[in-house]
Amino acid sequence: LHDALPICASFRLERRASWPSPPGTHSQSSSRAAIFRGITPRATSRQTSNMLAVSNTSPISNLAFIGHLNLLKLQFGTLWIPDAVAAELAVHPNPVALAAIQKAIADQWIKTAAPQHSTLLSVLLASLHKGEAEAIVLACDLKSDIVLIDEQEGRQFARQAGLPVTGVLGVLLRAKLAGHIPAVKPEIQALRHKARFFIARPLEAAVLSSTGE
């Protein structure tokens, strides 16, 4: 892994410098660091629609579950996904969410591309699900500004590869700060009840505290 990941990091040196990180996000032990990298007010003031973003399945699936897939379009404009993620989304169990995802793909703001870096992909597939591994590799291939992953292990591998990471909670927090949703707490409750999304209570408390909820 340590031989393969620096290849990705070297691809990203120029873009990485342009992505702000709040103080303390270098700490892997901080629950705030897990979601607040790149989602502070300073970051939200950027033209996020100009950012090149790649996503794993979970953020798209979960936001579609709770009726907020459009937040990804508002924040990133175009969202790239690898083939494995497209295949997983194609069998989404919720018909309303599936229809929203299919429309986003038909409208071409969610776009699919095949990852190319076969050496890195092989390394990642030894530890991660195919969608996560392909998302990280595609983010490296495209020199993306950010990759959206919810699973902790996938996030750790992405950071080792030099990729800024956020997830569904980061998207919701940015949406609250931008005024696109009135509150985060109801959306967290919806994620739990509709999408069966696990959120640790300390992490939930950190998110809600940051928004004054």
Side-chain angles (χ1 to χ4, degrees), residues 103-150:
K103 186 176 188 305
I105 293 172
D107 291 344
Q108 297 187 13
W109 67 263
I110 293 182
K111 296 187 176 184
T112 303
Q116 301 299 315
H117 199 306
S118 58
T119 301
L120 179 57
L121 182 59
S122 297
V123 171
L124 293 175
L125 283 173
S127 301
L128 301 176
H129 293 301
K130 191 173 183 181
E132 295 170 86
E134 286 197 4
I136 292 170
V137 174
L138 182 60
C140 291
D141 291 341
L142 298 179
K143 302 180 185 179
S144 72
D145 293 294
I146 196 163
V147 60
L148 281 67
I149 299 176
D150 287 320

Side-chain angles (χ1 to χ4, degrees), residues 71-200:
L71 293 178
L72 295 173
K73 184 177 182 181
L74 287 171
Q75 292 181 20
F76 305 113
T78 298
L79 188 66
W80 290 89
I81 59 173
D83 293 335
V85 169
E88 291 173 1
L89 291 172
V91 292
H92 197 290
N94 182 283
V96 175
L98 177 59
I101 293 167
Q102 290 174 332
K103 186 176 188 305
I105 293 172
D107 291 344
Q108 297 187 13
W109 67 263
I110 293 182
K111 296 187 176 184
T112 303
Q116 301 299 315
H117 199 306
S118 58
T119 301
L120 179 57
L121 182 59
S122 297
V123 171
L124 293 175
L125 283 173
S127 301
L128 301 176
H129 293 301
K130 191 173 183 181
E132 295 170 86
E134 286 197 4
I136 292 170
V137 174
L138 182 60
C140 291
D141 291 341
L142 298 179
K143 302 180 185 179
S144 72
D145 293 294
I146 196 163
V147 60
L148 281 67
I149 299 176
D150 287 320
E151 296 79 7
Q152 187 59 35
E153 190 172 13
R155 292 166 73 95
Q156 290 172 349
F157 275 94
R159 289 195 183 104
Q160 287 181 55
L163 296 164
V165 182
T166 192
V168 66
L169 295 181
V171 171
L172 291 173
L173 179 55
R174 183 183 284 130
K176 168 69 182 292
L177 295 172
H180 295 146
I181 58 173
V184 174
K185 187 172 183 177
E187 308 309 335
I188 289 179
Q189 292 173 339
L191 284 171
R192 276 205 180 96
H193 298 140
K194 295 182 180 180
R196 299 294 188 265
F197 185 75
F198 174 77
I199 305 168

Side-chain angles (χ1 to χ4, degrees), residues 11-84:
F11 286 167
R12 304 201 62 267
L13 288 177
E14 181 177 351
R15 282 187 178 272
R16 190 181 188 187
S18 69
W19 179 253
S21 296
T25 54
H26 61 280
S27 172
Q28 292 297 321
S29 62
S30 169
S31 63
R32 290 175 67 87
I35 60 164
F36 290 99
R37 183 182 300 271
I39 54 176
T40 61
R42 179 184 172 195
T44 43
S45 67
R46 291 189 59 190
Q47 276 292 333
T48 53
S49 61
N50 292 332
M51 293 171 55
L52 204 166
V54 174
S55 183
N56 184 33
T57 306
S58 176
I60 298 172
S61 173
N62 288 318
L63 287 168
F65 248 127
I66 64 173
H68 281 308
L69 187 63
N70 65 306
L71 293 178
L72 295 173
K73 184 177 182 181
L74 287 171
Q75 292 181 20
F76 305 113
T78 298
L79 188 66
W80 290 89
I81 59 173
D83 293 335

